[in-house]
């Protein structure tokens, strides 16, 4: 090829085409073969037709290029070296985006292809001519064309019904509204509905969403809008019915490269999106595809875990190893507990349940988590809803071990030896000297939790049982509150001291009650304590206290993780002598601490309860015991706290009260210990009143379910009944009982 010819062919194409060496070389090869047969303006015109066809389609075939060149020669009578036209193949090959042959597809006959090119040239010339004399623009012509378009019998249409698109043709009776029609396939006047299936199958064979990118690149450079038919001409080389419908499907399903700018008379006009927008949409698409893949993998994990035997299911910790799995399982857990932190968690959990074919409800999520072994069979959701930690971290356990190994007695030189006294420990814990900085975990927990299935202590069990609890026959460090009572039961004198004691007995309430009933001479000290408790109770009643002793049911579950656990039921009568003794001594201690704090201006968590406006005599007609106590509790006003001065506790009949006896189980008691012990040492108080108020936000929880049962006629308030449980759904706070 001459240099002049090389320049001539290069000038017929945009600059970006020159990068495609194979296409460029093929064009030059064809020009070299056919150029001698063409000369002057006529030859240039035909080569411009060919260049225009190649330029308008990034996937135009090299073989189609030879078709056009050969057709030019045939029509001009210059085909001596080519043979008969019928010998030319009737198939073309589409190029991939790099200029390589991709696959074959059917096109028009040779003559029809050439005539289309001539029609394009003529139409282009007419548009230019009309533009020069001020005739309507292409958009206006487009609008005029659409206005003439109407629904007629025999058309092949696409319509939307219940979010799905369907083709409709002759022979099918279907009632649709015009606004349901989304596309009218062009070039069809009498289409039989029996051919729809074959038509759709052919269309599916031509669909290739990737070619939209090529068309978008070309149209973006020209800033050109197109209809489905015009795009079909570009990407398929034809705007016949099948190709136009395929183009419509590609455009209507595309959400990356093209955007609808106008839609009239069942035809839409599309424009290429800006490149910045396309880049952003592609990024979103990749993120979506990645998320969908991760969801599919997560669903596989769920299904695998569901199919495993109960004892072989993956542990809860195994779901926390991979971040992408952890994020989804935590979203599902939050959804189950109605504790989603944001819409993203709620959306994630909902998509998981939907993909599993489950209803999007919290109870469904709970059951799914049980099925995969993430939740135990009888999961107590309140533990999660109230953020109750059932295990301790390695850091906390290590700190507990260090305390047991190196704990120093800050009051070693200031302890009173009380080992000569007989000491009865009746389900009572006392605290060891634990440094403040080591108790942050206890502050976070706030209290020990006692449930039928398990106990979750405020401190690690080893630290609480070995370092902080009283142990029979061993020297134990304690805070001792000594009291001298007046004959009426009021406090005559008291002392609060750090001490060393040696517990004589570690008794349960049942053991202590039995000792009291035996009235043994060697246990006279226990009898004296019981008599003092009764004296104190009477004095408090004279001060307006109300007896709230009740019969409390107790439940213990031996194997809570089994589908059929072993359950033990028993009752606890708070009015029995041993429980009355312990209760009164604890109340007495609380009054002494409040008095001590008031006399020494110590900030403490003073607890009070306003007196009810209803007199206790209003319930004198009720039998003594649980019935009257329950009636009293219903009229009680809410408890109050003060951190500077004692306040009256109407229910207990005391001028002031501080919880002090359970520093291992209640964090508020522990705070009181810190304040009192610092004062005894002569040190500054560790907490101000404001700091105490902030920390006591961690209050005890009272979780329970009340049930109402219909009883038989003749039963009176205070009568004892036997009931059985008919139905129980603790997760929904449902408990149904009936009289036996």
């Amino acid at each position: 090829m001459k240099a002049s010819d090389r320049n001539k062919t290069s000038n017929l194409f945009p600059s970006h085409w020159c990068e495609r060496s194979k296409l460029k070389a093929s064009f030059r090869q064809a020009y070299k073969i056919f150029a001698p047969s063409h000369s002057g303006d006529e030859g240039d015109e035909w080569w411009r037709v060919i260049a225009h066809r190649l330029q308008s389609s990034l996937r135009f075939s090299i073989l189609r290029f030879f078709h056009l060149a050969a057709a030019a020669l045939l029509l001009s009578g210059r085909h001596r070296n080519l043979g008969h036209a019928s010998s030319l193949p009737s198939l073309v090959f589409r190029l991939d985006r790099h200029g390589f042959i991709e696959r074959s597809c059917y096109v028009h006959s040779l003559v029809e292809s050439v005539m289309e090119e001539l029609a394009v040239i003529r139409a282009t010339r007419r548009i230019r001519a009309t533009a020069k004399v001020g005739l309507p623009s292409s958009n206006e012509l487009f609008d005029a064309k659409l206005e003439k378009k109407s629904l007629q019998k025999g058309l092949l249409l696409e319509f939307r019904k219940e979010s799905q698109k369907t083709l409709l043709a002759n022979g099918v009776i279907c009632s649709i509204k015009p606004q349901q029609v989304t596309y009218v396939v062009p070039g069809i006047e009498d289409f039989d509905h029996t051919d729809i299936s074959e038509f759709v199958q052919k269309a599916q064979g031509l669909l290739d969403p990737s070619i939209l990118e090529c068309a978008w690149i070309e149209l973006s450079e020209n800033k050109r809008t197109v209809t489905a038919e015009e795009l079909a001409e570009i990407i398929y080389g034809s705007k016949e019915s099948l190709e136009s419908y395929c183009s419509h499907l590609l455009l209507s399903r595309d959400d990356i490269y093209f955007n609808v700018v106008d839609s009239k008379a069942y035809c839409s006009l599309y424009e290429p999106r800006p490149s910045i927008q396309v880049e952003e949409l592609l990024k979103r698409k990749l993120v979506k595809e990645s998320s969908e893949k991760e969801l599919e993998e997560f669903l596989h994990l769920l299904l695998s875990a569901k199919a495993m035997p109960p004892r072989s299911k993956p542990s809860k910790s195994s779901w926390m190893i991979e971040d992408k799995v952890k994020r989804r399982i935590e979203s599902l857990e939050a959804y189950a507990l109605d504790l989603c932190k944001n819409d993203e968690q709620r959306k994630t959990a909902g998509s998981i349940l939907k993909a599993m074919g489950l209803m999007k409800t919290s109870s469904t999520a709970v059951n799914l988590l049980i099925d995969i072994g993430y939740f135990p069979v009888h999961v107590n959701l309140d533990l999660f809803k109230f953020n109750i930690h059932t295990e301790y971290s390695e850091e906390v356990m290590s700190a507990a071990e260090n305390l047991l190994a190196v704990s120093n007695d800050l009051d070693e030189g200031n302890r009173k030896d009380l080992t000569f006294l007989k000491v009865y420990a009746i389900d009572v814990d006392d605290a060891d000297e634990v440094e403040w900085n080591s108790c942050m975990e206890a502050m976070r927990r706030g209290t020990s939790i006692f449930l039928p299935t398990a106990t979750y202590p405020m401190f690690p069990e080893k630290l609480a049982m070995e370092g902080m609890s009283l142990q029979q026959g061993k020297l134990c460090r304690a805070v001792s509150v000594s009291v001298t009572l007046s004959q009426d039961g009021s406090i005559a004198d008291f002392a609060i001291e750090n001490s060393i004691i040696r517990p004589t007995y570690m008794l349960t309430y049942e053991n202590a009650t039995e000792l009291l009933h035996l009235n043994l001479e060697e246990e006279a000290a226990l009898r004296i304590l019981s008599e003092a408790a009764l004296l104190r109770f009477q004095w408090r009643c004279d001060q307006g206290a109300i007896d709230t002793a009740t019969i409390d049911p107790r439940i213990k579950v031996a194997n809570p993780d089994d589908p059929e656990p072993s359950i033990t039921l028993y009752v606890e009568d708070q009015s029995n002598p041993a429980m009355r003794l312990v209760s009164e001594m604890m109340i007495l201690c609380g009054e002494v601490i409040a008095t001590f704090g008031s006399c020494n201006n110590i900030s403490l968590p003073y607890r009070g309860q306003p007196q009810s406006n209803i007199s206790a005599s209003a319930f004198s007609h009720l039998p003594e015991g649980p019935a009257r106590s329950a009636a009293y509790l219903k009229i009680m006003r809410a408890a109050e706290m003060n951190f500077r001065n004692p306040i009256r506790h109407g229910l207990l009949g005391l001028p002031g009260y501080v919880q002090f006896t359970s520093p291992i189980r209640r964090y508020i008691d522990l705070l009181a210990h810190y304040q009192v012990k610092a004062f005894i040492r002569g040190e500054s108080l560790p907490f101000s009143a404001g700091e105490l108020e902030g920390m006591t936000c961690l209050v005890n929880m009272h979780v329970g379910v009340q049930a109402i049962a219909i009883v038989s006629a003749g039963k009176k308030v205070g009568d004892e009944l036997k009931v059985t449980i008919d139905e129980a759904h603790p997760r929904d706070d449902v408990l149904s009982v009936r009289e036996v």
Side-chain angles (χ1 to χ4, degrees):
M1 181 182 286
K2 298 179 182 179
S4 59
D5 292 337
R6 186 180 296 110
N7 294 334
K8 188 173 184 179
T9 59
S10 298
N11 293 333
L12 291 175
F13 294 92
S15 58
H16 71 276
W17 279 76
C18 296
E19 298 173 0
R20 305 189 175 182
S21 58
K22 280 200 172 185
L23 188 58
K24 181 178 177 183
S26 299
F27 182 79
R28 287 175 174 167
Q29 182 182 2
Y31 188 85
K32 183 177 180 180
I33 295 172
F34 301 128
S37 300
H38 286 72
S39 62
D41 294 337
E42 181 186 7
D44 289 344
E45 182 65 33
W46 279 104
W47 289 115
R48 291 187 186 279
V49 169
I50 297 168
H52 171 75
R53 292 293 285 128
L54 288 170
Q55 183 177 347
S56 66
S57 175
L58 296 182
R59 288 180 173 259
F60 199 84
S61 68
I62 295 176
L63 191 54
R64 180 69 179 276
F65 167 76
F66 283 100
H67 278 195
L68 290 175
L73 293 177
L74 286 170
L75 293 178
S76 63
R78 300 171 182 173
H79 55 278
R80 292 183 300 274
N81 299 326
L82 295 176
H84 196 270
S86 61
S87 64
L88 293 174
S90 61
L91 292 177
V92 299
F93 296 84
R94 286 208 307 249
L95 299 180
D96 64 17
R97 60 188 298 182
H98 303 292
F100 296 98
I101 293 176
E102 187 179 53
R103 67 181 182 187
S104 62
C105 66
Y106 172 80
V107 296
H108 294 302
S109 67
L110 176 62
V111 175
E112 287 174 329
S113 298
V114 175
M115 295 307 295
E116 284 179 5
E117 303 311 312
L118 293 174
V120 170
I121 294 173
R122 295 189 189 103
T124 303
R125 287 173 177 171
R126 283 198 300 269
I127 292 173
R128 290 173 180 170
T130 55
K132 289 179 180 179
V133 297
L135 294 178
S137 65
S138 58
N139 284 339
E140 291 172 338
L141 291 172
F142 171 71
D143 292 340
K145 180 181 177 183
L146 294 178
E147 288 176 2
K148 296 179 181 179
K149 207 168 189 179
S150 61
L151 297 180
Q152 300 174 358
K153 184 178 179 180
L155 294 178
L156 179 61
L157 358 141
E158 179 191 76
F159 69 97
R160 185 186 299 275
K161 186 175 182 180
E162 297 178 355
S163 74
Q164 292 185 346
K165 293 181 179 179
T166 308
L167 286 176
L168 180 65
N170 275 348
V172 178
I173 299 176
C174 183
S175 177
I176 61 173
K177 297 178 181 179
Q179 55 266 34
Q180 289 179 258
V181 177
T182 55
Y183 187 65
V184 177
V185 181
I188 293 179
E189 296 181 355
D190 191 14
F191 196 91
D192 194 306
H193 74 95
T194 58
D195 296 329
I196 289 180
S197 178
E198 182 182 357
F199 184 83
V200 171
Q201 188 175 1
K202 288 181 179 179
Q204 293 298 326
L206 292 177
L207 292 181
D208 183 2
S210 64
I211 62 179
L212 278 179
E213 180 182 2
C214 299
W216 171 78
I217 294 173
E218 184 70 16
L219 293 171
S220 294
E221 292 179 353
N222 299 328
K223 297 182 179 179
R224 177 185 167 190
T225 57
V226 290
T227 62
E229 291 85 349
E230 291 170 337
L231 186 66
E233 180 73 16
I234 294 173
I235 62 179
Y236 294 116
S238 170
K239 54 182 178 182
E240 291 298 311
S241 304
L242 180 62
E243 287 77 7
S244 294
Y245 180 61
C246 291
S247 178
H248 160 71
L249 290 179
L250 290 173
L251 286 169
S252 61
R253 296 173 182 177
D254 171 60
D255 54 4
I256 301 293
Y257 298 104
F258 291 89
N259 186 41
V260 177
V261 292
D262 198 2
S263 184
K264 295 179 182 178
Y266 326 118
C267 186
S268 298
L269 187 65
Y270 297 86
E271 67 175 359
R273 295 179 187 268
S275 57
I276 295 178
Q277 190 177 114
V278 169
E279 289 177 6
E280 178 61 28
L281 291 173
L282 285 173
K283 289 179 181 177
R284 293 182 185 180
K285 182 181 179 181
L286 289 174
V287 171
K288 182 181 178 182
E289 290 174 349
S290 175
S291 179
E292 290 174 349
K293 182 180 179 182
E294 288 181 3
L295 175 59
E296 185 179 351
E297 293 172 350
F298 183 75
L299 295 178
H300 178 71
L301 291 176
L302 293 178
L303 293 172
S304 298
K306 283 186 67 176
M308 293 179 181
R311 298 188 183 278
S312 301
K313 294 184 184 293
S315 64
K316 186 174 182 178
S317 60
S318 67
W319 296 91
M320 300 296 171
I321 298 173
E322 292 187 67
D323 289 339
K324 59 183 181 181
V325 175
K326 179 182 178 182
R327 179 173 61 84
R328 284 183 165 80
I329 201 72
E330 287 181 342
S331 296
L332 202 57
E333 180 180 356
Y335 193 89
L337 302 174
D338 293 322
L339 296 175
C340 288
K341 298 176 182 177
N342 48 53
D343 290 339
E344 183 63 27
Q345 274 198 332
R346 193 174 292 105
K347 182 179 178 181
T348 299
S351 65
I352 294 170
L353 294 173
K354 182 179 179 180
M356 292 286 289
L358 303 173
M359 294 180 62
K360 292 193 286 186
T361 63
S362 57
S363 59
T364 302
V366 170
N367 292 332
L368 175 59
L369 292 171
I370 291 174
D371 289 342
I372 66 173
Y374 185 83
F375 279 168
V377 177
H378 303 288
V379 59
N380 187 337
L381 296 183
D382 287 333
L383 292 175
F384 301 97
K385 290 181 178 179
F386 293 108
N387 196 29
I388 298 172
H389 293 257
T390 58
E391 297 178 352
Y392 288 91
S393 66
E394 293 183 4
E395 182 181 1
V396 172
M397 295 302 296
S398 177
E401 292 288 347
N402 291 337
L403 283 172
L404 289 172
V406 302
S407 180
N408 297 319
D409 183 6
L410 302 179
D411 300 298
E412 185 176 5
N414 189 28
R415 288 194 179 277
K416 187 172 184 178
D417 186 356
L418 299 179
T419 55
F420 62 92
L421 294 176
K422 183 171 284 190
V423 176
Y424 299 90
I426 308 174
D427 193 26
V428 176
D429 298 317
D430 230 323
D432 190 17
E433 281 51 327
V434 181
E435 295 181 11
W436 160 248
N437 291 334
S438 303
C439 298
M440 300 306 292
E441 177 70 11
M443 181 178 71
R444 187 173 62 81
R445 293 175 179 256
T447 181
S448 293
I449 306 297
F450 299 92
L451 300 175
T453 53
T455 297
Y456 303 106
M458 188 172 71
F459 288 101
E461 184 176 0
K462 188 174 183 180
L463 180 62
M465 298 304 295
E466 295 183 14
M468 298 178 171
S469 297
L470 300 177
Q471 299 180 50
Q472 183 172 332
K474 295 184 178 181
L475 294 178
C476 300
R477 293 168 286 189
V479 177
S480 294
V481 177
S482 306
V483 182
T484 301
L485 296 178
S486 301
Q487 290 185 352
D488 62 353
S490 61
I491 298 174
D493 194 14
F494 66 83
I496 303 173
E497 301 166 302
N498 293 306
S499 63
I500 291 288
I501 61 174
R502 180 183 283 111
T504 310
Y505 299 111
M506 305 295 292
L507 303 174
T508 63
Y509 286 113
E510 291 76 11
N511 298 147
T513 298
E514 185 178 357
L515 279 179
L516 288 171
H517 283 312
L518 291 174
N519 196 21
L520 301 175
E521 183 176 349
E522 58 269 26
E523 305 300 337
L526 186 61
R527 177 176 51 80
I528 294 172
L529 287 173
S530 180
E531 292 172 353
L534 291 175
L535 183 63
R536 278 288 299 172
F537 174 69
Q538 186 59 53
W539 178 84
R540 288 194 306 106
C541 289
D542 293 342
Q543 308 304 310
I546 297 176
D547 183 13
T548 57
T550 60
I551 297 177
D552 289 341
R554 298 296 180 190
I555 305 172
K556 283 295 180 184
V557 182
N559 47 344
D561 292 334
D562 286 356
E564 298 295 332
S566 175
I567 302 174
T568 303
L569 300 174
Y570 62 97
V571 295
E572 189 177 82
D573 187 355
Q574 294 181 354
S575 64
N576 79 60
M579 295 202 72
R580 178 76 73 181
L581 187 159
V582 173
S583 176
E584 286 300 328
M585 293 301 107
M586 292 170 69
I587 294 172
L588 175 60
C589 178
E591 182 185 2
V592 169
I593 297 299
T595 303
F596 181 74
S598 178
C599 294
N600 296 285
N601 196 29
I602 302 174
S603 296
L604 289 169
Y606 298 102
R607 192 177 184 89
Q609 192 166 32
Q611 201 77 36
S612 174
N613 296 327
I614 302 175
S615 173
S617 61
F619 302 102
S620 59
H621 65 286
L622 297 175
E624 291 186 5
R628 186 183 293 183
S629 297
Y632 286 153
L633 291 174
K634 289 183 179 180
I635 65 169
M636 289 294 99
R637 296 164 67 182
E640 298 177 351
M641 298 289 292
N642 191 298
F643 301 92
R644 291 177 174 81
N645 301 297
I647 53 177
R648 177 169 174 75
H649 201 300
L651 182 65
L652 299 180
L654 301 177
Y657 178 69
V658 173
Q659 289 182 319
F660 193 77
T661 58
S662 301
I664 300 176
R665 295 187 291 191
R666 286 193 302 253
Y667 190 73
I668 292 178
D669 296 44
L670 185 62
L671 293 177
H673 270 250
Y674 280 119
Q675 297 290 86
V676 169
K677 289 175 69 63
F679 181 85
I680 294 174
R681 294 192 198 105
E683 299 175 354
S684 299
L685 300 181
F687 311 115
S688 65
E691 289 171 331
L692 286 176
E693 184 174 2
M695 288 184 287
T696 50
C697 291
L698 295 169
V699 297
N700 296 340
M701 290 182 302
H702 300 281
V703 180
V705 180
Q706 292 184 343
I708 299 176
I710 299 175
V711 299
S712 56
K715 298 293 183 181
K716 298 181 295 184
V717 175
D719 288 352
E720 184 176 302
L721 301 174
K722 286 187 176 181
V723 297
T724 185
I725 297 176
D726 267 351
E727 190 176 8
H729 301 287
R731 295 172 195 151
D732 300 321
D733 291 339
V734 173
L735 179 63
S736 175
V737 299
R738 62 179 173 82
E739 182 182 6
V740 177

